[in-house]
Amino acid sequence: MSMGATANADSNKKHVNPITTTETQEIDKQLKDDRNTLRDVLVKYLGKDYIDHISYTTEYNETNENSKLVVHYKNENTKITQVKKELQKRLATKIKFNKVDYTHEDLSKFTSQMNKKIEDNGEIDKLAGFDPDAHKEKIYIQYVNSFNESTKKELKNIFEKVEFVKTESKPQSTIARDKDYNKLGGGLAIDIGGGFCTTTGVASKGGSWFVLTAGHCLEGDNSTISQYNEPLGTDHSTLVGRGVDAGVVKVRQNMSNIKRYAYDGLYLHAENDRDYDAKFKSEDPAGLGDEVTMSGVTSGVQTGVVTDMYTEVNYEELPVLQKVRVATYSSDNGDSGAPVFTTAYGGNKISGIHSGSNSYKGEAYFTPIEDVEEEYSTSEATFDFYQGDEAILID
């Protein structure tokens, strides 16, 4: 702009308040069927590995009627043309398309190169993580301590559109999967008496707070459950008898010397005594062909692809589990209850609760989070997975 020129705002544009987290969650629920249709079409024409070539996001507006699913693609070819034609026919005003220069696969290759460069430069302890955003054609590099300027320059030489983001993490003295921690979140160890499982995250219902885990980890007998050494609460309920592998520990503040907080923290790679290094953003049902990640006490962070929806699983000494989803990530004993989530479309979105695996088939199983919320909700009170931005002291 030249000197003396005046910049004018779009005065005819109607002002609207920003969409709140609660509103986006409600819109996501309303768009669930449309999102499943979109995934079905993508798998039909591009196969289960469509995520390598195409991505999609939600364009939120004031109401569900004005919100859209946005498909981001790189190459214009016959298959993409078929995808666009069928989606325009089936979803009409609910779909739009955006041509980009980079796919999720492209950005993943760049992040791998960047990770190696940071490691070679001896600064890996400063890195918190990468957040590649295909539709914005940008890679966010999250750090705990600033990188050297020479390293930043080298990273930008690998991919120019990077943005460095300092995390909110602060040094803590007691953060590890198997230690006591006052802020409750996903990916921590809980002692179930004679063994351990992993926490999925925190949920609330009717003013009470609960920690989610796999149902087969619990008995629903009101016995004491510890978050390693300190009592966490009581074994409140398991849904295994209903064919759903999910259960909850009711958090009881008066049982412990530690003040417990409900938090949306997600433990990924926080081994060197930092705070949680990630957070849950919202929910994502995770459909066929979607990439999902598990963060468990034993196996750590493992990634795979959803290969089957709503199958049945029969473990020894347990009722047949229904509505279970199948994925290809690795897992082991102690991972039960771990959060399973998607990352491809912006942020960590909870998809379900890790249940178990079959090493011979190379399969892992998880229970969809929406089924758990539905089972525990009543006409008097809803059961909601916590995704707030603040740590809430549990009374």
Side-chain angles (χ1 to χ4, degrees):
M1 189 190 321
S2 61
M3 293 294 292
T6 302
N8 295 308
D10 295 330
S11 57
N12 63 335
K13 185 176 181 180
K14 179 182 178 182
H15 174 73
V16 295
N17 293 323
I19 301 293
T20 65
T21 300
T22 300
E23 289 171 332
T24 60
Q25 291 172 5
E26 182 60 31
I27 290 172
D28 283 339
K29 290 180 181 179
Q30 293 172 358
L31 287 174
K32 179 180 178 180
D33 290 341
D34 295 329
R35 192 179 290 107
N36 288 338
T37 297
L38 169 57
R39 287 173 173 145
D40 289 343
V41 172
L42 293 178
V43 171
K44 175 182 177 181
Y45 291 104
L46 303 176
K48 294 180 180 180
D49 61 346
Y50 70 81
I51 190 174
D52 292 337
H53 313 287
I54 205 166
S55 64
Y56 65 87
T57 55
T58 304
E59 184 179 277
Y60 297 101
N61 213 306
E62 292 176 277
T63 63
N64 175 43
E65 287 72 25
N66 295 325
S67 298
K68 298 178 184 293
L69 296 173
V70 185
V71 176
H72 310 278
Y73 66 98
K74 177 181 178 181
N75 300 313
E76 192 81 59
N77 53 42
T78 302
K79 289 185 177 180
I80 294 297
T81 300
Q82 291 173 320
V83 167
K84 292 168 71 173
K85 183 176 180 180
E86 183 160 342
L87 288 176
Q88 286 168 337
K89 179 180 179 180
R90 296 178 64 177
L91 297 181
T93 59
K94 292 290 187 181
I95 195 77
K96 65 185 293 188
F97 301 90
N98 176 42
K99 198 171 187 304
V100 297
D101 293 329
Y102 304 98
T103 64
H104 179 73
E105 183 182 32
D106 294 333
L107 296 186
S108 294
K109 291 178 181 178
F110 290 133
T111 59
S112 296
Q113 294 173 34
M114 290 178 181
N115 190 81
K116 187 176 186 307
K117 177 60 66 177
I118 292 171
E119 192 171 34
D120 291 344
N121 290 0
E123 298 186 73
I124 196 67
D125 60 320
K126 300 177 180 179
L127 177 68
F130 296 100
D131 185 9
D133 194 326
H135 74 280
K136 291 185 179 178
E137 302 179 17
K138 183 179 289 189
I139 296 175
Y140 297 92
I141 303 178
Q142 300 167 326
Y143 65 93
V144 178
N145 296 306
S146 296
F147 298 106
N148 294 331
E149 290 301 318
S150 57
T151 298
K152 289 183 178 180
K153 185 176 181 180
E154 289 177 307
L155 295 176
K156 288 187 176 181
N157 285 338
I158 295 174
F159 185 72
E160 185 178 0
K161 297 180 180 179
V162 298
E163 184 173 324
F164 295 92
V165 180
K166 186 172 178 59
T167 68
E168 298 176 356
S169 301
K170 297 179 180 179
Q172 301 285 336
S173 59
T174 58
I175 180 62
R177 289 188 191 271
D178 60 352
K179 291 184 180 179
D180 301 307
Y181 197 53
N182 63 338
K183 289 192 293 187
L184 301 173
L188 299 180
I190 52 173
D191 187 340
I192 59 173
F196 61 91
C197 285
T198 306
T199 63
T200 314
V202 184
S204 65
K205 177 182 177 181
S208 295
W209 288 96
F210 303 90
V211 168
L212 273 163
T213 189
H216 70 263
C217 296
L218 303 174
E219 299 289 342
D221 58 2
N222 210 38
S223 60
T224 299
I225 301 294
S226 297
Q227 194 232 318
Y228 209 60
N229 292 315
E230 281 287 328
L232 170 62
T234 52
D235 184 338
H236 186 72
S237 172
T238 175
L239 295 174
V240 167
R242 299 188 216 172
V244 179
D245 195 9
V248 293
V249 176
K250 187 171 184 178
V251 182
R252 297 187 182 276
Q253 192 72 274
N254 60 352
M255 293 179 65
S256 173
N257 294 319
I258 297 176
K259 287 187 176 181
R260 303 289 188 178
Y261 292 80
Y263 194 55
D264 61 350
L266 170 60
Y267 192 111
L268 297 179
H269 303 286
E271 288 84 357
N272 53 348
D273 288 340
R274 294 200 301 268
D275 197 350
Y276 290 99
D277 49 347
K279 287 186 174 185
F280 291 111
K281 183 177 181 181
S282 59
E283 297 180 14
D284 182 0
L288 190 65
D290 282 357
E291 184 179 84
V292 291
T293 300
M294 179 209 70
S295 181
V297 169
T298 304
S299 303
V301 177
Q302 300 290 333
T303 300
V305 174
V306 177
T307 58
D308 199 358
M309 305 278 286
Y310 293 113
T311 189
E312 291 186 349
V313 176
N314 190 2
Y315 298 132
E316 293 182 7
E317 301 179 0
L318 286 179
V320 175
L321 300 175
Q322 303 167 346
K323 296 184 178 180
V324 177
R325 291 184 184 165
V326 183
T328 58
Y329 60 80
S330 300
S331 68
D332 207 338
N333 294 333
D335 291 329
S336 295
V340 179
F341 52 95
T342 61
T343 62
Y345 314 120
N348 305 297
K349 298 184 177 183
I350 185 69
S351 300
I353 301 173
H354 174 67
S355 174
S357 61
N358 186 322
S359 58
Y360 297 103
K361 292 184 177 181
E363 295 179 342
Y365 311 111
F366 69 94
T367 304
I369 193 66
E370 66 265 28
D371 291 337
V372 179
E373 290 178 315
E374 182 178 343
E375 286 286 345
Y376 274 125
S377 293
T378 63
S379 57
E380 291 79 24
T382 59
F383 182 87
D384 299 305
F385 188 85
Y386 183 61
Q387 303 154 43
D389 294 325
E390 299 179 355
I392 299 177
L393 179 63
I394 298 175
D395 296 328

